[in-house]
Amino acid sequence: MGDRIVTWPNALSAARLLGVPVFLWLVLGPRTATSDLIAAGILGLAGITDWLDGKLARMLNQQSRLGALLDPAADRLYIAATVIALAVRGIMPWWLFGAIAGRELIVGVALLVLQRRTVYGALQVSFVGKTATLCLMYAFPLLFLGAHSGTTAEVVRVLGWAFAIWGIALYWWAAMLYLTQVRDLVRESGMEGAATS
């Protein structure tokens, strides 16, 4: 991991973060078919850049500590903003909001434990976690577009729910993997501390 700040992957993650307030305004402000379509497009772009920034980081050898923090932060912020906005609009049920918020709370507490008890600042992002995020990034715009009337909207809504169910399952699986990582790192750190004392 390098200390570089200005990299292509970091630029993509920053652009993704800048899209969050624009998305929220489009969903909760105008509430027109056009604004909904643009908001769904922003979500789609967020999903693509989420995959692309990791790919570029590896391909260009531009992995950085900032990127390791920025990428998952952008993912979580997008997911939180989207879930809240869609729940407020009545497009997504509150139980789905609870399932995602509960997972974020558990992982957040685990990260606090990790930072307080070890020298590690961030967890290794898993393939399962990235796949879960990608599924949810597809689910949200599909559910969003499926909220309108018509046969096409109904088909899109079914696809959206398929991605949402897979995404939630994988999201919780990734949480279990992160909790296992935290447990192992805390245990390892405790053993190292005992060995040096």
Side-chain angles (χ1 to χ4, degrees), residues 36-37 40 86 89-92 138-161:
D36 284 358
L37 193 59
L86 296 187
R89 282 276 300 267
I91 295 169
M92 178 182 292
Y138 279 114
F140 296 145
L142 290 172
L143 289 173
F144 196 42
L145 295 174
H148 297 278
S149 57
T151 307
T152 305
E154 196 170 325
V155 171
V156 168
R157 187 166 52 250
V158 169
L159 285 172
W161 273 109

Side-chain angles (χ1 to χ4, degrees), residues 94-166:
W94 284 100
W95 67 261
L96 186 55
F97 169 81
I100 292 172
R103 186 266 192 196
E104 287 302 317
L105 183 65
I106 288 169
V107 171
V109 168
L111 286 173
L112 283 174
V113 169
L114 183 68
Q115 289 172 349
R116 288 179 187 270
R117 296 194 182 176
T118 71
V119 295
Y120 301 97
L123 293 174
Q124 187 72 27
V125 176
S126 70
F127 177 74
V128 174
K130 294 298 277 184
T131 306
T133 301
L134 197 60
C135 281
L136 292 175
M137 288 292 198
Y138 279 114
F140 296 145
L142 290 172
L143 289 173
F144 196 42
L145 295 174
H148 297 278
S149 57
T151 307
T152 305
E154 196 170 325
V155 171
V156 168
R157 187 166 52 250
V158 169
L159 285 172
W161 273 109
F163 274 111
I165 290 165
W166 274 106

Side-chain angles (χ1 to χ4, degrees), residues 60-86:
L60 302 174
N61 196 24
Q62 291 186 347
Q63 295 100 332
S64 65
R65 287 184 182 86
L66 178 63
L69 297 172
L70 202 57
D71 180 47
D75 291 347
R76 287 193 176 93
L77 191 57
Y78 249 108
I79 288 171
T82 305
V83 169
I84 290 167
L86 296 187

Side-chain angles (χ1 to χ4, degrees), residues 21-47:
V22 178
F23 168 79
L24 282 172
W25 178 80
L26 286 166
V27 176
L28 300 176
R31 299 191 186 198
T32 64
T34 304
S35 65
D36 284 358
L37 193 59
I38 295 169
I42 289 173
L43 273 183
L45 279 173

